[in-house]
Amino acid sequence: MKIRLLSVSIFFWLFYLNANAQVNDKAVLAQSILADKSLDTIQAKALKLLSGFSAGTSYSEVWIRDCNTFIKGSLQVHPKEKVKEMLLMFFKIQGADGNIVDGLVDSAKAGVGYKYRYSSLLPGWAAHKNTVETDQESSLIQAVKKYIDVTGDSTILNEVVGAKTVLQRMEDALSYIRKDRWSAKYNLVTGATTIDWGDVQPETGWGVAINDKTKWAIDIYDNAMYVMAIHDFLAMSAANYKPKENWNTVAAGIKTNVRKYLWMPSAQKYVPHIYLNGSPFSKDFNEQEILYTGGSICAILAGFNTNAEVKEINRQMLTAAAKEKHATIGITVYPPYPKEQFPNMHPYLYQNSGDWTWFGGRMTSALIANGFVKEAQAELKPMIDRAIANKGFYEWYDVQTGAPKGSGDFRGEAGVLFDAITVLKQWAINNK
């Protein structure tokens, strides 16, 4: 009996020591985060850049997928009324079927090769939609949720735009996906074949618009973004609001079918695409070897993966990044698509294994939410260092040379880094 009591005492003593060590470890990690002045530097630089709403120096447009990722920072430097009006603009030019445009631009600058849309509710502005994408509707709903989270101003939901409230219009946007971008066979969201979260088709030509060459497919990014938007819509809806359908059931069904059709348990990764009308790639090309990082990050944020799976996805992303001299976990996909398979975007260019902090930075929140704070700090650091070394924020980076590429003053990167650092600091404050 004495031996048993002694064993129990030792067990609880060891448990106490281990728990105490974990608390101390958290405190040390928290102090190292709060002492890192480079985080303050980046946030200050980001806020200076977020004085505008266009995507960057190469873009005249205000893009909703970009705004969704820097709106929290924008609300630190703009009056909430100005940000609110920007969001309302997208509802003022919403399609009759509920679809949401990609970009808004001063009509005098509408000179690119897009098919522009106009609305009497938004005079002086033109808009366009990259029809190969299926994330504009989800991005706008998520952006409205972020606006309310930061400002506490839920009155935006009751704003009337063309005889409908914003809340009704958000549900119209969700319903559009169910009608126009939905596979009845798989009960999942569809879109054109692109690289991960990208907006360009494989075939040569104007790659952002649906055409007779389009191969319809299902991918993880579109479905994860949609489920996050549904969750946000439900969180914003008033108790007395009567939705058109049971959105909780829709979201749960998507998660079930994502696990059934897109997640590969043996490989612990997501299938790049399920094709609905044939693949654009040759039969001898094994697309399943490619790791989709951006879509995987969004899947984690949408709650599709277990803690153990998150750890393995992160390991795979680090392994992929280690294969290129200047890569971070922001590398879009790996390995890249060969030019013979994707002539519209050659290897290591843009979304075909370019490195995008715009997505890599989002992994910080995903990791922290799953308890991997040390990993989040370590994996964010090279992105922070890169922005400081290049004295600004760039659209993407060449993983072979390290050179910054694309648009300078890219607000998407600035916004994502601002948010990532905010989440990291908040954890540190709570655990110091």
Side-chain angles (χ1 to χ4, degrees):
M1 187 61 146
K2 290 183 179 179
I3 294 175
R4 183 181 176 186
L5 288 173
L6 181 60
S7 298
V8 172
S9 298
I10 291 173
F11 170 80
F12 281 109
W13 176 245
L14 291 174
F15 178 82
Y16 169 79
L17 289 176
N18 183 57
N20 196 49
Q22 289 181 355
V23 170
N24 289 336
D25 287 346
K26 282 186 176 181
V28 170
L29 180 58
Q31 289 300 329
S32 70
I33 291 169
L34 295 174
D36 188 348
K37 298 304 179 185
S38 67
L39 303 182
D40 301 331
T41 298
I42 287 296
Q43 284 199 307
K45 287 180 177 292
L47 291 180
K48 285 184 180 179
L49 180 57
L50 295 180
S51 58
F53 292 112
S54 66
T57 51
S58 297
Y59 301 100
S60 299
E61 300 92 347
V62 177
W63 299 78
I64 190 54
R65 61 182 350 208
D66 297 68
C67 287
N68 178 39
T69 59
F70 64 70
I71 189 169
K72 288 185 176 181
S74 293
L75 284 163
Q76 303 301 314
V77 295
H78 291 288
K80 68 179 182 180
E81 292 76 15
K82 187 172 183 179
V83 178
K84 180 179 181 178
E85 182 53 38
M86 181 205 68
L87 292 173
L88 291 175
M89 289 168 67
F90 284 92
F91 292 108
K92 290 178 180 179
I93 206 162
Q94 184 175 14
D97 60 358
N99 84 80
I100 300 298
V101 297
D102 262 286
L104 298 168
V105 67
D106 184 322
S107 56
K109 298 179 180 179
V112 188
Y114 297 112
K115 183 178 179 180
Y116 286 99
R117 177 192 300 182
Y118 301 87
S119 171
S120 60
L121 297 175
L122 196 63
W125 290 84
H128 64 82
K129 185 179 181 70
N130 287 358
T131 50
V132 298
E133 294 173 40
T134 312
D135 68 344
Q136 302 95 333
E137 294 74 22
S138 300
S139 295
L140 180 56
I141 292 169
Q142 291 175 27
V144 173
K145 178 63 162 56
K146 292 184 178 93
Y147 168 84
I148 294 175
D149 286 346
V150 173
T151 65
D153 177 22
S154 60
T155 63
I156 188 174
L157 302 174
N158 300 318
E159 290 277 349
V160 178
V161 177
K164 288 186 177 182
T165 66
V166 165
L167 189 61
Q168 290 171 321
R169 286 185 170 276
M170 286 195 294
E171 186 168 24
D172 286 347
L174 291 175
S175 296
Y176 162 75
I177 301 297
R178 292 276 283 153
K179 295 172 186 174
D180 197 72
R181 297 296 177 95
W182 191 259
S183 167
K185 178 179 179 180
Y186 295 98
N187 279 316
L188 289 170
V189 177
T190 67
T193 300
T194 63
I195 297 176
D196 199 0
W197 50 266
D199 56 1
V200 179
Q201 297 182 114
E203 298 84 3
T204 54
W206 188 237
V208 299
I210 298 295
N211 56 38
D212 58 357
K213 296 178 182 178
T214 297
K215 295 300 182 184
W216 290 93
I218 296 169
D219 65 36
I220 186 56
Y221 170 68
D222 292 338
N223 283 277
M225 287 289 286
Y226 190 57
V227 167
M228 284 191 280
I230 290 175
H231 289 159
D232 285 347
F233 171 75
L234 291 172
M236 289 185 282
S237 298
N240 61 350
Y241 181 79
K242 295 181 179 179
K244 297 177 181 178
E245 63 179 299
N246 190 328
W247 292 107
N248 270 319
T249 299
V250 173
I254 291 173
K255 181 176 180 178
T256 296
N257 290 318
V258 160
R259 300 291 304 187
K260 182 178 180 180
Y261 298 115
L262 289 174
W263 178 250
M264 296 187 286
S266 59
Q268 292 285 282
K269 60 186 285 193
Y270 286 99
V271 175
H273 293 106
I274 296 172
Y275 293 102
L276 304 176
N277 65 330
S279 168
F281 307 121
S282 60
K283 292 182 179 179
D284 61 348
F285 176 62
N286 185 5
E287 191 184 19
Q288 292 195 6
E289 291 182 349
I290 297 177
L291 176 67
Y292 269 34
T293 60
S296 298
I297 293 168
C298 290
I300 296 169
L301 292 170
F304 290 169
N305 293 98
T306 66
N307 187 273
E309 289 168 351
V310 172
K311 184 177 182 179
E312 174 57 20
I313 290 171
N314 189 56
R315 186 198 66 77
Q316 292 183 27
M317 290 170 64
L318 288 170
T319 299
K323 293 180 180 179
E324 300 295 340
K325 185 177 180 181
H326 298 279
T328 72
I329 59 169
I331 189 169
T332 315
V333 294
Y334 202 82
Y337 285 84
K339 63 180 181 180
E340 296 80 13
Q341 304 297 333
F342 217 102
N344 234 358
M345 197 181 300
H346 287 193
Y348 299 108
L349 294 179
Y350 206 52
Q351 295 153 358
N352 194 7
S353 287
D355 194 314
W356 294 68
T357 301
W358 189 34
F359 273 83
R362 300 183 208 189
M363 191 63 169
T364 302
S365 296
L367 287 169
I368 291 174
N370 285 274
F372 302 112
V373 183
K374 189 174 182 179
E375 291 83 352
Q377 180 194 35
E379 292 168 42
L380 185 63
K381 181 172 172 51
M383 299 183 225
I384 297 292
D385 292 345
R386 181 167 61 187
I388 291 174
N390 287 292
K391 299 180 180 179
F393 306 98
Y394 287 84
E395 191 171 11
W396 62 282
Y397 300 84
D398 189 312
V399 298
Q400 296 181 309
T401 67
K405 297 285 185 177
S407 179
D409 291 342
F410 185 60
R411 292 188 173 92
E413 176 176 271
V416 164
L417 286 178
F418 178 85
D419 288 354
I421 293 168
T422 298
V423 172
L424 193 62
K425 283 183 175 179
Q426 190 57 56
W427 179 91
I429 291 170
N430 293 339
N431 289 276
K432 64 181 179 179

